[in-house]
Amino acid sequence: MFASLPASTIIYSPGRHKADQEAMPLSSSGTCIAKSASPIDNGYLRGRLDGVGSSVEVAKGQEIVGQGDRADSCFEVIHGCVRTLQRLEDGRSQVSEFLLPGDIFGLDASGEHEFAAEAVTAATIRRVRLCTIDLLTREDAAFEQDLRHHLCYQIKAARRRLVALGRMTAAEKIAGFLLEMSGRLDASEQGAVKLPMCRGDIADYLGLTIETVSRCMTDLKRRNVISLHGSLIAILDRRLLATKETLH
Amino acid sequence: MFASLPASTIIYSPGRHKADQEAMPLSSSGTCIAKSASPIDNGYLRGRLDGVGSSVEVAKGQEIVGQGDRADSCFEVIHGCVRTLQRLEDGRSQVSEFLLPGDIFGLDASGEHEFAAEAVTAATIRRVRLCTIDLLTREDAAFEQDLRHHLCYQIKAARRRLVALGRMTAAEKIAGFLLEMSGRLDASEQGAVKLPMCRGDIADYLGLTIETVSRCMTDLKRRNVISLHGSLIAILDRRLLATKETLH
DNA sequence: CGTCGCCTTGATTACACTCAAGCGGAGTGG
DNA sequence: CCACTCCGCTTGAGTGTAATCAAGGCGACG
């Protein structure tokens, strides 16, 4: 029924950051819209907002933007962790993304925010007005380019998450999440990272329940794939996590 | 994408303590990045590519871009229906979006396509090189603006789908899908629309199985919420679909 | 008329959810 | 200092939704 699927197009890459790095073409000739040589994904705008806007401190759990708020600013996380999420009236909620220092959110806004942003931990964020962004794009072609790359990356990231939410099992979701976070968070000297978000946030990020998140993690611990002490997690066997032999 | 669904579903903004205590006048003078008065979502680029690029005919099922293909072009659907999807090595697949005439895809590409694009039906598509797009953005500030709005809309659409995939039941997914499609497709004189995609595609779009899609639709038919004859579908009780009292 | 593709329907299974209880650390107050 | 609650996490038992397995219907097409 479908056109043949080339063998070279094989797929699932839980190590999404790594996969993207490899995906970046090295030739820079006709790249056009495509950014040719960025070693860091999602880093298109890193540092581009330094010195712009105003810094704000938010307490743990505090709302930064609410669902339905008018979108007139974007934000860069300076310190701490932020989640963007949508809440349904019956209590269900879906976390769209976790934002860590250097990450920017709210650039995609037009009109009003459909998703709220809340501080996962106490956080420092930089607030930049969208008109400032607009100004920058007009004055600086390179910035405009980088902004567009940033938006493209957001789309790709969201689509990767569609696959995870639509077609992955609980164990696969957890494995992918841990790999993602271990790549984004700074590891301590023991190679462990401290997850800033609670189990409930992880559940809402992956479309699972708290209990399932807990059970999957405990299971990985029992198999010595990870070590686990509360929110402190170290990946002991990265290959096993990535290849999904973690499923019994 | 499920924009029509959450009329009552948008919901709940807990604390109103925003981070922006200080100043930041909400003067509407600076709409900036936010497009304030577009009646049509996803229409930011409609017609903008007329006369650009080259037209291509593709047969039903034919691959337009493959996973891993170098991204050097974007496409506008002129006629027919196209799906973008990711296939996993074990046969699972996730459809990211269905594209109908006027819709554009591939603009988000940078480096290589993570998602394939395939013709759902026989289709005519316009192929535009990304360097042409790049050129247009440099020459035409309005185009650049519209392109950015388009990308922002893609992000929002993808996030809406995250909620659907992560937190909706099968019945809710189907209901939202039917509402979305009835809004995007041209209705015949009887108010019925012909879904261009098969049950399997719908299943892969919603993260369900073919059987579940079929059962849910049959159920809606039995309740006289929709009429259903193969791929010809009419919504008989839109309110019931939207309020999700369709769940027994 | 037979095959094929797509869809529907039924029976059964299993994965993740729900409900419920208990653990342990942090913080509070007597 | 200890008892207490609160909160987040874990664990267990049972349930339910959607998946799986399987069969059959129907229309298109050769």
Side-chain angles (χ1 to χ4, degrees):
Chain A
M1 162 187 181
F2 299 122
S4 61
L5 175 64
S8 61
T9 63
I10 300 297
I11 321 189
Y12 178 59
S13 43
R16 351 208 101 140
H17 293 68
K18 244 160 278 145
D20 261 22
Q21 284 173 22
E22 292 162 5
M24 287 301 171
L26 299 174
S27 68
S28 55
S29 51
T31 348
C32 305
I33 244 183
K35 180 140 185 174
S36 53
S38 169
I40 314 162
D41 355 272
N42 194 18
Y44 299 113
L45 291 180
R46 209 157 290 257
R48 295 306 225 114
L49 298 181
D50 287 355
V52 190
S54 56
S55 178
V56 188
E57 301 284 330
V58 289
K60 177 176 180 173
Q62 190 178 335
E63 186 177 75
I64 298 163
V65 301
Q67 284 175 210
D69 277 9
R70 180 139 168 47
D72 59 2
S73 300
C74 66
F75 303 86
E76 177 181 358
V77 178
I78 307 296
H79 168 80
C81 178
V82 169
R83 63 178 172 250
T84 57
L85 79 167
Q86 187 168 116
R87 291 184 197 281
L88 276 59
E89 55 196 344
D90 56 11
R92 290 178 289 183
S93 61
Q94 175 67 47
V95 169
S96 172
E97 52 187 352
F98 292 116
L99 300 136
L100 298 173
D103 293 338
I104 293 170
F105 63 98
L107 272 174
D108 54 289
S110 61
E112 63 180 48
H113 291 282
E114 294 181 17
F115 278 67
E118 302 171 355
V120 171
T121 64
T124 310
I125 56 177
R126 187 203 314 280
R127 174 183 178 147
V128 180
R129 293 233 253 164
L130 289 179
C131 21
T132 308
I133 300 291
D134 245 12
L135 208 64
L136 284 171
T137 62
R138 276 193 288 269
E139 290 175 347
D140 183 351
F143 180 87
E144 186 272 319
Q145 190 95 333
D146 288 340
L147 172 56
R148 220 159 63 216
H149 291 315
H150 170 84
L151 295 176
C152 289
Y153 179 81
Q154 295 298 313
I155 294 174
K156 290 182 138 184
R159 288 186 181 163
R160 274 195 288 263
R161 283 186 34 64
L162 287 185
V163 179
L165 289 180
R167 288 302 185 207
M168 298 284 176
T169 64
E172 289 171 313
K173 288 175 178 177
I174 293 291
F177 172 77
L178 293 177
L179 287 169
E180 179 198 346
M181 281 304 152
S182 80
R184 292 176 64 192
L185 292 163
D186 295 325
S188 74
E189 58 277 4
Q190 283 88 18
V193 296
K194 184 182 180 315
L195 297 179
M197 69 293 289
C198 67
R199 299 291 188 270
D201 284 333
I202 299 172
D204 283 341
Y205 182 69
L206 299 175
L208 299 171
T209 58
I210 292 180
E211 294 93 331
T212 299
V213 170
S214 182
R215 269 186 259 269
C216 285
M217 286 192 170
T218 303
D219 195 54
L220 289 173
K221 178 186 181 182
R222 195 177 303 120
R223 297 160 183 277
N224 288 316
V225 181
I226 63 171
S227 77
L228 173 66
H229 300 95
S231 60
L232 207 63
I233 290 191
I235 294 179
L236 304 177
D237 190 336
R238 184 169 297 266
R239 190 190 53 77
L240 214 53
L241 256 196
T243 51
K244 296 175 296 173
E245 288 154 20
T246 54
L247 315 169
H248 45 218
Chain B
M1 296 215 147
F2 289 164
S4 38
L5 180 61
S8 56
T9 322
I10 284 292
I11 338 302
Y12 190 54
S13 294
R16 276 288 97 165
H17 17 268
K18 290 212 205 70
D20 43 27
Q21 315 89 355
E22 299 181 339
M24 281 300 174
L26 292 170
S27 66
S28 56
S29 54
T31 337
C32 314
I33 245 182
K35 182 140 184 174
S36 52
S38 170
I40 315 162
D41 306 304
N42 195 19
Y44 299 112
L45 290 181
R46 208 157 291 257
R48 294 308 226 113
L49 298 182
D50 287 354
V52 190
S54 55
S55 178
V56 187
E57 301 285 328
V58 289
K60 176 174 179 174
Q62 189 179 333
E63 187 177 73
I64 298 164
V65 301
Q67 283 176 206
D69 277 8
R70 180 135 170 50
D72 58 4
S73 300
C74 66
F75 304 87
E76 177 181 357
V77 177
I78 306 297
H79 168 79
C81 177
V82 169
R83 63 177 172 253
T84 57
L85 78 167
Q86 187 168 117
R87 291 183 196 283
L88 277 60
E89 51 198 342
D90 56 10
R92 291 179 289 183
S93 62
Q94 175 68 46
V95 169
S96 174
E97 52 187 353
F98 291 116
L99 299 136
L100 299 173
D103 292 337
I104 293 169
F105 64 99
L107 272 173
D108 54 289
S110 59
E112 66 180 47
H113 291 283
E114 294 181 16
F115 278 68
E118 301 170 356
V120 171
T121 64
T124 310
I125 55 178
R126 186 203 314 281
R127 174 184 178 147
V128 180
R129 305 205 127 250
L130 288 177
C131 13
T132 308
I133 300 292
D134 247 12
L135 208 65
L136 283 171
T137 62
R138 276 194 287 271
E139 290 175 347
D140 183 350
F143 181 86
E144 186 273 319
Q145 190 93 334
D146 288 339
L147 172 56
R148 220 158 64 217
H149 290 314
H150 170 84
L151 295 175
C152 288
Y153 179 81
Q154 295 298 313
I155 295 174
K156 289 182 138 183
R159 287 186 182 164
R160 273 196 287 266
R161 283 187 32 67
L162 286 185
V163 179
L165 288 179
R167 287 304 184 207
M168 298 285 179
T169 64
E172 289 171 314
K173 288 175 179 178
I174 293 291
F177 172 76
L178 293 177
L179 287 168
E180 179 201 344
M181 281 304 152
S182 80
R184 292 176 65 192
L185 292 164
D186 296 325
S188 74
E189 58 277 6
Q190 284 87 17
V193 296
K194 182 178 183 320
L195 297 180
M197 69 292 289
C198 68
R199 300 290 188 270
D201 286 333
I202 299 173
D204 284 340
Y205 182 68
L206 298 175
L208 299 171
T209 58
I210 291 180
E211 294 94 330
T212 299
V213 170
S214 181
R215 270 187 258 268
C216 284
M217 286 192 170
T218 303
D219 195 54
L220 289 173
K221 178 186 181 181
R222 195 178 303 119
R223 297 159 183 279
N224 290 315
V225 182
I226 63 171
S227 76
L228 173 66
H229 300 94
S231 60
L232 206 63
I233 290 192
I235 295 179
L236 303 176
D237 191 335
R238 185 168 297 267
R239 191 191 53 78
L240 213 54
L241 256 196
T243 52
K244 294 175 296 175
E245 288 154 20
T246 53
L247 316 169
H248 42 216

